[in-house]
Amino acid sequence: MAVAATETNTQELIDKLNAAYEKAHLSYEDNFWSTKMALKGNSSDALAATKTAYETFLGDPVNLRAVREALEAAKTGKAQLTAEQEKVLRIMERTFGCYILEEPAAAALKEKINSLEAGLSQSRNTMSLGYTDPASGEFKKASSVQLRNTMRVSDDEATRKACYEGVRGIGPFVSEQFVEIVKQRNKLARLLGFEDFYDYKVTAAEGFGKTRLFEIMDDLEAKTRPIMAAARERLAREKGASALEPWNMSYALAGDTEKAQDPYFPFEQAVDVWARTFGALGIEYSGATMTLDLCDRDGKYSNGFCHWPQVAWRKPDGAFVPSKANFTSLATPSQVGSGKTALVTLLHEGGHAAHFANIDQPSPFFSQERAPTSVAYAETQSMFLDAFAHDAAWLGRYALSRGGEVMPWKIIAEGYAATQPYDVFALRAMIAVPYFEKALYELPEAELTKERLLALADEVETRVQGGLSPRPLLSVPHPLSDESSCYYHGYVLAEMAVRQTRAYFKSKYGKLVDNPAIGKELCEGYWRPGNGAMFLDLVEKVTHKPLAADDWVHDLERPLEAVLREEEADYKEAVAAGPAIKHGQPVDLKMRVRLVHGDEVISDSETDGGLAGACDKFKVWVDKTYLAEQPKSA
């Protein structure tokens, strides 16, 4: 839909653009969910068509021209704007400016890319992924999440290696289609006047180009390289040189502690624990509806995410439109480690949902999850909240076995000892993705072949991570999809902001867990503005200092002994106090929650006695479906 300024007055223009945005966004997101969840009747053609329609609306020059004409009329005195109308027109101008494809060739090329991406997505969803059991020779189907979980917990090295080879097989499977997409993406970016696709994407999302981004990244890379080298030497010294093999590294770091902690993260309790954690932080969802699809199954998209077909905003008459969120993870409840993985995903994606549910601005354009919303801004909210699962102050309150026993300090301390000296590995794995995408889009087109793509991934893993990675770069789903490609740097910038925000709140309040002031500050400082404010400005406003890596580097350099002293004190206080909202007590997040498994609706807080009732019904379903033969106590 395109709207000409001459056809309508300013408020009518704003209303029509708001309505058109909602319609296009909802149609695309409904198809996105249907396709990614492999629901009945899903269609890659419908997904491609609605994505094209959505992006056509966002990139229609007529819409941008109408907005600019309205702003110009006010500037020259031909019309008057309220402050709110000008605010809305400015965010519309900024949003449309991220998507305008004035060249007819560019618009046609974008439609071609959408079709190629939809084809790759469908192909990847039908890939027969798994590993060959070294004991029986039998091929066992498993998702990428299951393969990585098995590498982390299996005592058998041959099985771990088979799982690594399974997840590494994703690269050759997707490479031929992906190479063609990379070529077309670069062609599009250069038609639009950018150096390459990475430069195009980062400029649209963050407001600064690839050169500035990698000045920040290169500084972080240089400062943490010696920490990584020391950590790799320490791991080889403590666990043997074979611990550095990609199929052994995750197990060497977490194999024993993962299994020891597993009884204290019952999968079927994860939704309840997440709800009580957020409730005690004072987080609410402003009347949102959330649909959660938490368990793995064939054909399901291999990465957790949270999208919101209906975005939150406030209409001109003052009525608030609550969001509708779709949330997925990939748990196998009977598998060791699945409970913690599910809970961390709930905290992370639930953080995204809380952020976007609480945007309170006079247009849905402020809740646009893609550009001009900063990737780093969005990820700061989710990563801040998933960090709680690693705090002893949280573990002492919420990490309980099915029998109600608190996770012992000894297990927590062993977990810190096994992982804290190696936290730098997560940082290096994080920065490997943007370095890989940067190198990929900088390759001359003549070198863009399947073979060069596979070799480049190995080269970047070895250079950035010190060796081949337990999570091969081509198994990371983000680069394959347009909306998440050239995106991963956002996690890096966000982690800087998370460390800085946590340090600020600790200095201000002394504690984070079960502190309702935290939810209030997050909502008022980070969430309500939406993309109407710039990421760097928001961080500085909340923490009262410019964004820097200082707090992150400080955490990496802290001696293990100092970490253990502080965390043990927090743990003892947590056990004595217990959670602010006890197990079994009602918690109201101001949200309707639907728990589903594909097309099956498991429970619904609106019809099953509130959130507690929905959680109880979900527990029964999990027990019947996955845990009937599993022990019910630690």
Side-chain angles (χ1 to χ4, degrees), residues 35-36 42-47 115-127 173 177 299 301:
T35 303
K36 298 301 184 184
N42 82 85
S43 165
S44 62
D45 290 340
L47 176 63
S115 181
L116 290 171
E117 289 170 351
L120 175 56
S121 175
Q122 187 173 48
S123 177
R124 171 66 184 84
N125 282 348
T126 59
M127 178 185 180
F173 184 87
Q177 289 173 282
Y301 185 58

Side-chain angles (χ1 to χ4, degrees), residues 220-228 423-433 435 463-466 552:
L220 180 64
E221 193 280 329
K223 288 179 178 176
T224 56
R225 176 170 286 278
I227 302 175
M228 178 195 69
D423 282 348
V424 68
F425 292 158
L427 181 154
R428 303 297 292 195
M430 198 182 294
I431 66 174
V433 179
Y435 275 108
R463 175 169 58 85
V464 176
Q465 296 181 251
W552 195 359

Side-chain angles (χ1 to χ4, degrees), residues 526-569:
Y526 279 133
W527 299 344
R528 291 211 190 283
N531 59 23
M534 301 302 291
F535 166 65
L536 295 179
D537 295 336
L538 287 169
V539 174
E540 185 166 1
K541 181 179 179 182
V542 171
T543 67
H544 305 290
K545 66 178 184 179
L547 179 67
D550 298 351
D551 292 304
W552 195 359
V553 174
H554 169 74
D555 288 346
L556 292 174
E557 292 178 336
R558 288 180 70 204
L560 175 62
E561 296 74 18
V563 172
L564 291 174
R565 280 196 305 271
E566 181 179 330
E567 295 294 337
E568 184 176 14

